Amino acid sequence: MQGKRFGALIAATAAAVLFLPFTAAADDPGSGQGGKAGPSVPAGVKLTTELPKQIKVDNKAGTTSGLTAKVSNGGTKDSGPITLSVLGLGGMKITGVDGCIAIPKGRLLKGVNSGFACVMDNLAAGKSKSYQVSATYDLKAKGQICLPVTEGTSEKVFWQQGPIPFGTTKPTPNAPDTPLLLGTDNVPAGPAQPSEAPGSGGGLPKTGAGVALPAGLVGGALLLVGGGGIWWTTRSHRAARH
């Protein structure tokens, strides 16, 4: 089998993402808010991601609509192989990303409930690629989404947006759906579920003032890999590229 011949590939995308702190201005209307570039981005490559400013969630079914994930290269040089991951936390669960591979639950960091890895051979300078994302949202909890972009199947993070919340401060339980705004903490429509609060899983490494970086994370690697790496066969890898 091809899978056995070539073996499995490690994609260090979301298994143990080191969630970066972000500071988004209160008046920042951009859908790239909450994003931060990693220190290992090659000269001439400028990768960013974008999320919609607003999505909706069906109050009965809990399904979302209008959710997309876009990755762009605003630089002057091609990116080379990259992987975009779409991760759900708390009340937001990612159920599908068109053309991408589901990350096994056993490979997700504690605190991340779902994720998909989107492998690209290259993203040319000045080009972008959008993915349709399917997700569910529990309006009784707070939900977040995270978009890290890594170099190929390596541990180098070129860009990471989030974890950033989608939510509403004005629940509309009697309406057909509820609009959710990017960068807004959700006010639960019912009793809050502490176990669903972002970061409550206790497994999300953090950086920032007063928090020491884990050993070995000096300079480029903003992603913790090792036993938590995501594996898929060459066949699956090829399927994700189409």
Side-chain angles (χ1 to χ4, degrees):
M1 290 178 61
Q2 277 189 327
K4 290 183 178 180
R5 186 183 311 152
F6 293 103
L9 299 175
I10 298 179
T13 51
V17 177
L18 177 61
F19 290 86
L20 304 177
F22 64 86
T23 302
D27 60 350
D28 180 7
S31 56
Q33 69 179 111
K36 184 175 183 180
S40 302
V41 184
V45 177
K46 185 179 180 182
L47 295 172
T48 58
T49 57
E50 294 181 5
L51 289 162
K53 299 175 185 177
Q54 179 177 308
I55 63 174
K56 292 182 179 180
V57 57
D58 186 294
N59 284 334
K60 291 184 178 180
T63 54
T64 63
S65 59
L67 181 55
T68 56
K70 180 180 180 181
V71 57
S72 302
N73 181 4
T76 58
K77 294 184 179 180
D78 292 1
S79 70
I82 57 173
T83 299
L84 165 71
S85 294
V86 183
L87 312 177
L89 299 89
M92 175 169 277
K93 182 177 181 180
I94 309 301
T95 57
V97 182
D98 287 353
C100 303
I101 301 169
I103 301 169
K105 288 185 178 180
R107 300 297 186 181
L108 294 171
L109 182 66
K110 193 173 183 180
V112 178
N113 60 45
S114 53
F116 284 75
C118 309
V119 181
M120 286 161 269
D121 287 335
N122 183 57
L123 188 60
K127 299 296 183 178
S128 62
K129 187 168 184 179
S130 295
Y131 294 89
Q132 189 67 40
V133 180
S134 301
T136 58
Y137 196 100
D138 182 358
L139 288 167
K140 295 180 181 179
K142 294 181 179 181
Q144 291 181 310
I145 190 169
C146 185
L147 303 179
V149 181
T150 56
E151 178 189 34
T153 56
S154 79
E155 63 187 36
K156 294 181 181 179
V157 174
F158 284 167
W159 170 268
Q160 183 171 307
Q161 184 176 8
I164 188 168
F166 267 109
T168 179
T169 57
K170 298 179 181 179
T172 55
N174 297 322
D177 53 47
T178 295
L180 300 179
L181 300 178
L182 183 68
T184 301
D185 282 322
N186 189 52
V187 174
Q193 300 175 4
S195 62
E196 294 286 359
S200 64
L204 303 180
K206 298 180 180 179
T207 61
V211 181
L213 283 171
L217 292 181
V218 179
L222 300 179
L223 235 136
L224 303 177
V225 289
I230 304 158
W231 294 76
W232 64 74
T233 64
T234 300
R235 181 180 178 183
S236 298
H237 178 222
R238 287 177 176 173
R241 287 154 38 186
H242 298 290

